[in-house]
Amino acid sequence: MMNSFARLYDRLSFDIPYGEMGKRIRGILKDQNIDPKRVLEFGGGTGNLTQYLYQEGMVYDFVDVDREMLEIASSKFGGKLHYYHCDIGEFPISGKYDLIIGNLNVVNYLDKKTLEKLFPRFQRALSPGGIFFFDINSPYKLKEIQGNHSFIYEKDEIFYTWINELGKDYIDYYLDFFVEEENGLYRRCSEDFTEYIYTIDDMEKLLKESGFSFVKSLDYDKGGPVSDDSLRILFQSNNEY
């Protein structure tokens, strides 16, 4: 049986604007005259953003650490993508990519030591003029909105609780899902994970030290400059031609 959280993931991401995210990424690519032929997406989950990025003819490498997430993505795209079940730090990068992307704060799940090894690998893996995108949950969102708070949600036959514990530079999440079965009983599924808190300065320093020639950040939701109350921050880093 497929992992319960993987099966619930798509059903509970109804309020995430993947279409707008994809439109924003494609708009930046168009503005910079980048037509990616080879793409690496890491932490791709079930492919919710992929559907707005993939185009026929692309060589598209899709990486996720969760096997069940990959199975769901595979059911959507079939043989159009190349699927890799591994941690991105263990992914055997070969050749050059025109676009590398990690969406929906996947970078927040990686500690600084991991990023110090990963970002230089991405820089070396980008083709001349290639671009690397990723976004993070802002410190404001993690500290002020999520913080040491608890939330309760109900969606159709799913009831779930979300408990947060804020540390100095990280936040721990504890989720419990209760899903109603056909017999009227509820099945429980639990998930816990950690996000690390990074500032724009943290990310820009890591990227520049990794060899990227151009680094820019913007409000991922609004598309303009980052403000004090921005929730998601999108970073783009380019290699020189």
Side-chain angles (χ1 to χ4, degrees):
M1 178 178 293
M2 189 172 289
N3 177 289
S4 297
F5 181 70
R7 286 191 297 157
L8 293 171
Y9 185 83
D10 275 353
R11 297 167 66 185
L12 298 177
S13 58
F14 58 90
D15 60 342
I16 298 175
Y18 288 106
E20 289 301 314
M21 291 175 172
K23 182 178 179 181
R24 200 170 307 288
I25 296 296
R26 296 212 64 84
I28 295 172
L29 292 173
K30 183 177 180 180
D31 289 345
Q32 298 190 16
N33 294 314
I34 298 174
D35 182 19
K37 302 301 183 184
R38 191 160 188 251
V39 179
L40 169 60
E41 182 179 358
F42 65 100
T46 61
N48 287 328
L49 179 71
T50 314
Q51 61 185 316
Y52 299 103
L53 299 180
Y54 175 79
Q55 293 182 334
E56 291 293 335
M58 283 181 170
V59 175
Y60 204 110
D61 291 343
F62 187 93
V63 181
D64 201 278
V65 73
D66 190 304
R67 186 182 299 278
E68 287 75 22
M69 294 281 191
L70 288 174
E71 290 180 12
I72 295 174
S74 178
S75 71
K76 297 177 180 179
F77 299 99
K80 294 179 179 180
L81 313 182
H82 300 153
Y83 306 95
Y84 297 89
H85 173 230
C86 64
D87 185 287
I88 185 58
E90 299 172 355
F91 176 65
I93 295 176
S94 62
K96 297 289 186 179
Y97 292 95
D98 307 307
L99 168 63
I100 298 177
I101 185 164
N103 193 58
L104 206 60
N105 53 277
V106 63
V107 165
N108 285 105
Y109 301 130
L110 306 176
D111 62 30
K112 185 178 178 182
K113 288 184 178 180
T114 299
L115 296 180
E116 288 174 340
K117 296 177 181 179
L118 188 62
F119 282 2
R121 291 185 69 211
F122 284 167
Q123 191 275 330
R124 293 191 295 270
L126 277 179
S127 59
I131 190 166
F132 170 35
F133 285 112
F134 69 91
D135 68 287
I136 62 171
N137 278 329
S138 69
Y140 168 75
K141 178 180 179 179
L142 294 178
K143 292 180 179 180
E144 303 300 328
I145 295 180
Q146 296 184 342
N148 286 306
H149 299 147
S150 300
F151 304 91
I152 297 176
Y153 300 95
E154 186 171 7
K155 172 65 175 175
D156 299 328
E157 74 281 12
I158 304 171
F159 175 87
Y160 61 108
T161 62
W162 183 313
I163 299 173
N164 305 330
E165 293 182 3
L166 179 64
K168 181 180 179 181
D169 56 1
Y170 65 91
I171 183 169
D172 289 329
Y173 301 101
Y174 302 92
L175 287 77
D176 280 298
F177 303 90
F178 301 87
V179 184
E180 186 176 10
E181 304 284 358
E182 291 183 0
N183 59 11
L185 299 178
Y186 281 79
R187 171 174 48 85
R188 180 178 179 179
C189 168
S190 298
E191 188 81 10
D192 61 83
F193 51 91
T194 298
E195 285 194 35
Y196 297 93
I197 301 172
Y198 295 113
T199 64
I200 291 179
D201 288 344
D202 291 333
M203 291 292 97
E204 290 185 345
K205 184 173 185 292
L206 279 171
L207 289 164
K208 290 176 180 178
E209 289 178 349
S210 298
F212 288 99
S213 58
F214 174 80
V215 177
K216 181 180 180 181
S217 59
L218 66 151
D219 187 305
Y220 200 5
D221 298 305
K222 302 175 183 177
V226 178
S227 61
D228 291 340
D229 61 353
S230 292
L231 301 181
R232 294 189 184 97
I233 302 171
L234 178 67
F235 292 85
Q236 66 174 86
S237 307
N238 296 65
N239 267 357
E240 291 181 348
Y241 284 95

